[in-house]
Amino acid sequence: MLKIENLHVSVDDREILRGVDLTVNPGEVHAIMGPNGSGKSTLSYVLAGREGYDVTGGSVTYLGEDLLEKEPDERAAEGIFLAFQYPTEIPGVATMTFLKAALNAQRRHRGEGDMSTPDFMRKVREIADRLDVTQEMLRRPLNAGFSGGEKKRAEILQMALLEPKLCVMDETDSGLDIDALRVVSDGVNAMRSQERGIIVITHYQRLLNHIVPDHVHVILWFPRADRLSQFTHQDPLRAGLLERPTDWKWSSARWDQRRCSVRVPVQWVE
């Protein structure tokens, strides 16, 4: 579904991603972890096509096509969904109007007709009930005056309504209390299928206690190789779970608690 090879990305002439490789197959959930500034969100923005991120090397293939050649609206229409860490408030645009416009735009891209208003209302209300999204929230402007938890639930509602092929979730757990985290996680887990890939970007293990990934990737860049052991002990996966790398680029280890593979991309920077 998604194949990233030796991806290099710069922002304002500063290199952020330095040779990232990642393959996501249909039906898989991948978690990406790492410290601030390691490039986790940068990767999500590049996949979505955000301006200001310069790809200086490597390739990104999505469903057999060059993703980097497509505009953001084309990527969205072809099934890529990015859930933002900080969803934007859009005063003056009603949530239901936004949802219907987005859904019908995707249907037209697939050569389908617009969904009728009764069918649309029925589908939105069914999803909203599962996510504790109230009818009052649906009547308000998109994300305007929403709490952090309400914004994240509204993002998951959009994702469930649009049924994307690849879901990219940028620190969706940020700012959520335990109850909101559980609701959001249940919504994401309901989206898991053999036809859909999911990338979850997070700092914290608590999200992965609810959304159990198939693979965990930790992005770590070290100024000097001898800092590896020290930094690993500060890692969210906790000391002792990662091994020293056996080669230049990759370190591999098992994360027994989650029963999934852990791959740690490491680049030595002199």
Side-chain angles (χ1 to χ4, degrees):
M1 173 178 284
L2 178 72
K3 187 171 185 179
I4 301 172
E5 295 182 290
N6 195 30
L7 183 65
H8 290 252
V9 177
S10 296
V11 179
D12 296 329
D13 296 324
R14 175 173 173 260
E15 190 172 38
I16 305 298
L17 296 181
R18 311 169 187 177
V20 170
D21 299 301
L22 176 66
T23 299
V24 178
N25 297 310
E28 294 180 346
V29 176
H30 290 246
I32 297 179
M33 306 182 76
N36 288 329
S38 59
K40 304 182 303 299
S41 293
T42 294
L43 179 60
S44 71
Y45 295 153
V46 170
L47 293 177
R50 181 172 176 175
E51 294 183 349
Y53 292 78
D54 300 320
V55 177
T56 57
S59 63
V60 181
T61 304
Y62 171 67
L63 299 179
E65 298 182 355
D66 185 356
L67 182 66
L68 301 178
E69 291 296 320
K70 298 180 182 295
E71 295 297 323
D73 61 316
E74 294 178 289
R75 303 181 193 198
E78 293 180 12
I80 293 180
F81 181 92
L82 172 61
F84 295 103
Q85 180 180 1
Y86 303 109
T88 302
E89 296 187 11
I90 309 180
V93 177
T95 298
M96 292 294 281
T97 300
F98 172 83
L99 293 174
K100 189 173 183 180
L103 177 62
N104 285 331
Q106 291 207 345
R107 290 175 64 89
R108 294 187 203 111
H109 182 80
R110 297 192 297 263
E112 303 172 2
D114 289 1
M115 180 176 287
S116 68
T117 298
D119 289 344
F120 169 76
M121 296 293 291
R122 190 179 306 112
K123 185 171 184 176
V124 171
R125 286 171 178 164
E126 177 185 335
I127 298 170
D129 288 343
R130 295 201 307 263
L131 296 172
D132 291 340
V133 175
T134 66
Q135 296 303 306
E136 191 270 336
M137 286 174 58
L138 294 174
R139 288 191 291 267
R140 286 156 61 183
L142 184 64
N143 293 326
F146 287 15
S147 67
E150 289 173 336
K151 288 181 179 180
K152 299 302 176 69
R153 292 202 300 273
E155 289 274 280
I156 303 305
L157 185 150
Q158 294 173 36
M159 186 171 76
L161 179 67
L162 298 176
E163 299 181 330
K165 297 174 184 175
L166 177 65
C167 307
V168 183
M169 307 180 63
D170 184 16
E171 299 192 34
T172 301
D173 55 326
S174 177
L176 297 183
D177 61 30
I178 189 61
D179 293 327
L181 178 65
R182 187 178 298 111
V183 170
V184 167
S185 299
D186 289 345
V188 175
N189 286 326
M191 295 286 294
R192 298 179 79 148
S193 77
Q194 292 304 309
E195 294 77 37
R196 180 175 294 115
I198 300 176
I199 298 175
V200 178
I201 296 171
T202 183
H203 279 289
Y204 306 109
Q205 182 180 331
R206 67 171 190 162
L207 178 64
L208 305 187
N209 291 332
H210 297 278
I211 304 173
V212 180
D214 299 297
H215 305 279
V216 174
H217 311 269
V218 183
I219 300 179
L220 300 173
W221 309 116
F222 297 101
R224 289 168 38 200
D226 60 11
R227 288 188 56 201
L228 176 61
S229 296
Q230 175 186 356
F231 205 96
T232 298
H233 282 64
Q234 299 169 6
D235 188 83
L237 298 182
R238 299 177 183 174
L241 293 179
L242 300 179
E243 303 168 347
R244 287 191 67 90
T246 56
D247 59 38
W248 182 262
K249 190 172 183 182
W250 289 101
S251 168
S252 299
R254 281 179 56 208
W255 189 9
D256 292 329
Q257 182 180 2
R258 298 259 60 87
R259 297 181 180 178
C260 62
S261 67
V262 177
R263 289 177 62 78
V264 184
V266 176
Q267 175 174 319
W268 309 126
V269 181
E270 296 298 337

